[in-house]
């Protein structure tokens, strides 16, 4: 059974206020507790579920009750439809048969059962609903040759500007829109992750293929990973700590790489470790998040008493 079925069951238990844990999940689906814990860690690190372990109830809840699981899985019904189409396309022997059979082969690859996929599973990319919406809006603007208004935020602060979007590119698990503000030759790459808001304007622009610059994929800076030094409770036999790369180790102190601060903070909330040694800014953010959660629980307790 797909882990998404287990994850959706776990999500339903949380929303029902039942505070599920790895033992519940393992017992419900007859899997090992270790596998169940991996499902929970996947929810936090890849699906960015704001999971918090409540010691009082010996189970998990959501820090943010507005969180919704992204619909990034294929249902059994959808798999059956694709399998049928693959079957029909595979036996198609008329016009453009070769191209149709290549489509059949592609569909079959997407409908393989988990146990058949082994180490050839497709890579998993996190997808924020807001970024998906921005991607759709920008793609439509590119097709329709329409200017867009962008509200953008990065380390330099916030700014707003209009852009003529030319194409979408990806680099190092990040999406960018390439375009220009006034001069077609002075093109920039805007990271979707930094966009606060985007809207399509009525103003159109002229597409000029002769000035569409290439090579953005090679010139974009690769963001270096952050490194956290953590003292772990158990020795790690692999080069990964529950999905995060271990750069170095000394006794039980591990240097662990991460890119997404929010996802890594959520991982720290649900994982077992002894001490977060560095960086200081990460310790402070973790403390602030923990104190904020404690304050909210205290307010909730007070309201329940009243």
């Amino acid at each position: 059974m797909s882990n998404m079925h287990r994850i959706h069951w776990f999500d339903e238990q949380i929303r029902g206020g039942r505070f599920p844990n790895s033992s519940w999940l393992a017992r419900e689906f007859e899997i090992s507790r270790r596998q169940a814990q991996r499902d929970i860690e996947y929810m936090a690190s890849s699906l960015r579920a704001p999971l918090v372990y409540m010691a009082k109830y010996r189970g998990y809840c959501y820090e943010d009750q507005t969180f919704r699981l992204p619909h990034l899985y294929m249902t059994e019904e959808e798999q059956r439809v694709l399998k049928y189409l693959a079957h029909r396309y595979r036996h198609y022997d008329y016009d453009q048969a070769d191209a149709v059979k290549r489509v059949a082969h592609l569909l079959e690859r997407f409908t393989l059962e988990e146990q058949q996929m082994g180490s050839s599973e497709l890579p998993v990319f996190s997808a924020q609903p807001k970024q998906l919406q921005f991607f759709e809006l920008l793609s439509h603007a590119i097709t329709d040759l329409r200017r867009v208004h962008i509200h953008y935020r990065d380390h330099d602060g916030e700014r707003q500007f209009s852009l003529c979007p030319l194409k979408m590119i990806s680099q190092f698990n990040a999406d960018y829109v390439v375009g220009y503000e006034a001069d077609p030759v002075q093109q920039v790459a805007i990271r979707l992750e930094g966009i606060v808001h985007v809207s399509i304007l009525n103003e159109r622009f002229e597409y000029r293929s002769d000035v569409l610059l290439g090579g953005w994929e090679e010139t974009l800076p690769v963001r270096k990973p952050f490194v956290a030094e953590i003292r772990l409770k158990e020795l790690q036999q692999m080069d990964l700590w529950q999905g995060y790369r271990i750069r170095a180790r000394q006794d039980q102190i591990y240097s662990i790489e991460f890119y997404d601060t929010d996802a890594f903070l959520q991982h720290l909330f649900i994982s077992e470790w002894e001490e977060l040694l560095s960086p200081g800014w990460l310790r402070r953010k973790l403390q602030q998040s923990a104190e904020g959660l404690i304050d909210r629980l205290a307010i909730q307790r007070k309201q329940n008493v009243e």
Side-chain angles (χ1 to χ4, degrees):
M1 177 178 290
S2 168
N3 69 325
M4 289 306 300
H5 291 278
R6 301 193 295 267
I7 286 172
H8 274 271
W9 178 88
F10 199 81
D11 174 76
E12 290 174 358
Q13 303 308 304
I14 292 177
R15 297 193 185 284
R18 302 181 185 91
F19 297 93
N21 55 35
S22 58
S23 297
W24 284 28
L25 187 61
R27 185 169 57 250
E28 177 70 19
F29 292 96
E30 298 181 350
I31 59 175
S32 68
R33 187 171 177 179
R34 185 175 181 181
Q35 176 62 57
Q37 188 61 38
R38 282 201 296 266
D39 287 347
I40 296 172
E41 291 163 0
Y42 175 79
M43 289 181 68
S45 61
S46 295
L47 301 182
R48 301 191 181 188
L51 290 170
V52 177
Y53 184 80
M54 303 293 293
K56 177 180 179 180
Y57 300 104
R58 297 182 179 181
Y60 291 89
C61 68
Y62 285 144
E63 183 179 10
D64 181 1
Q65 295 299 323
T66 64
F67 170 77
R68 292 292 181 270
L69 286 174
H71 296 288
L72 299 179
Y73 72 100
M74 189 180 300
T75 66
E76 293 182 1
E77 178 63 26
E78 290 168 338
Q79 287 192 26
R80 286 195 293 268
V81 171
L82 288 186
K83 286 180 179 179
Y84 172 73
L85 290 175
H87 166 75
R88 293 300 301 271
Y89 288 169
R90 189 172 59 250
H91 292 88
Y92 181 86
D93 198 21
Y94 304 98
D95 295 339
Q96 299 180 338
D98 290 341
V100 172
K101 288 179 180 178
R102 284 197 295 271
V103 173
H105 177 68
L106 179 63
L107 292 177
E108 286 174 337
R109 290 180 57 189
F110 277 96
T111 55
L112 289 174
E113 298 295 337
E114 277 189 57
Q115 60 268 24
Q116 294 175 322
M117 295 184 73
S119 60
S120 63
E121 290 186 10
L122 294 172
V124 176
F125 300 99
S126 60
Q128 294 294 319
K130 185 169 69 172
Q131 289 190 35
L132 289 175
Q133 182 182 16
F134 292 162
F135 185 89
E136 291 181 0
L137 288 171
L138 290 167
S139 298
H140 176 73
I142 292 171
T143 302
D144 213 26
L145 301 178
R146 298 265 292 276
R147 272 187 173 269
V148 295
H149 180 267
I150 293 178
H151 181 182
Y152 192 74
R153 179 191 298 131
D154 59 13
H155 296 298
D156 296 327
E158 296 189 20
R159 61 186 186 276
Q160 299 188 39
F161 55 91
S162 63
L163 184 80
C164 298
L166 299 174
K167 66 175 181 176
M168 307 292 296
I169 62 173
S170 293
Q171 169 76 357
F172 201 64
N173 198 20
D175 296 309
Y176 297 82
V177 55
V178 175
Y180 64 90
E181 296 184 49
D183 187 350
V185 177
Q186 296 181 355
Q187 297 174 17
V188 293
I190 305 298
R191 189 184 178 108
L192 264 63
E193 191 178 39
I195 295 178
V196 179
H197 180 73
V198 61
S199 58
I200 299 178
L201 304 176
N202 289 325
E203 182 182 352
R204 294 180 179 273
F205 64 93
E206 182 181 355
Y207 176 78
R208 292 176 53 191
S209 58
D210 59 316
V211 297
L212 183 59
L213 303 182
W216 280 105
E217 292 81 353
E218 289 75 27
T219 59
L220 283 172
V222 174
R223 183 167 53 137
K224 293 183 179 180
F226 301 112
V227 178
E229 288 192 347
I230 302 178
R231 187 190 308 277
L232 300 181
K233 298 181 67 174
E234 299 179 356
L235 292 176
Q236 303 298 306
Q237 303 300 324
M238 303 177 62
D239 292 332
L240 296 174
W241 178 50
Q242 301 174 0
Y244 289 92
R245 180 176 178 271
I246 298 174
R247 173 183 289 186
R249 67 186 76 194
Q250 184 176 1
D251 297 327
Q252 286 184 278
I253 298 177
Y254 294 80
S255 297
I256 299 170
E257 296 182 353
F258 66 97
Y259 292 90
D260 189 319
T261 303
D262 292 335
F264 193 66
L265 283 173
Q266 292 174 19
H267 180 71
L268 292 176
F269 269 115
I270 67 171
S271 303
E272 294 185 359
W273 46 276
E274 292 286 348
E275 184 180 4
L276 176 59
L277 301 172
S278 68
W281 60 265
L282 184 63
R283 287 204 312 270
R284 289 190 293 272
K285 286 181 72 72
L286 180 63
Q287 183 176 353
Q288 290 170 359
S289 297
E291 290 174 349
L293 177 60
I294 292 172
D295 290 343
R296 284 192 291 274
L297 290 173
I299 294 173
Q300 184 178 1
R301 258 197 316 270
K302 183 179 179 180
Q303 291 175 342
N304 291 339
V305 171
E306 294 175 353

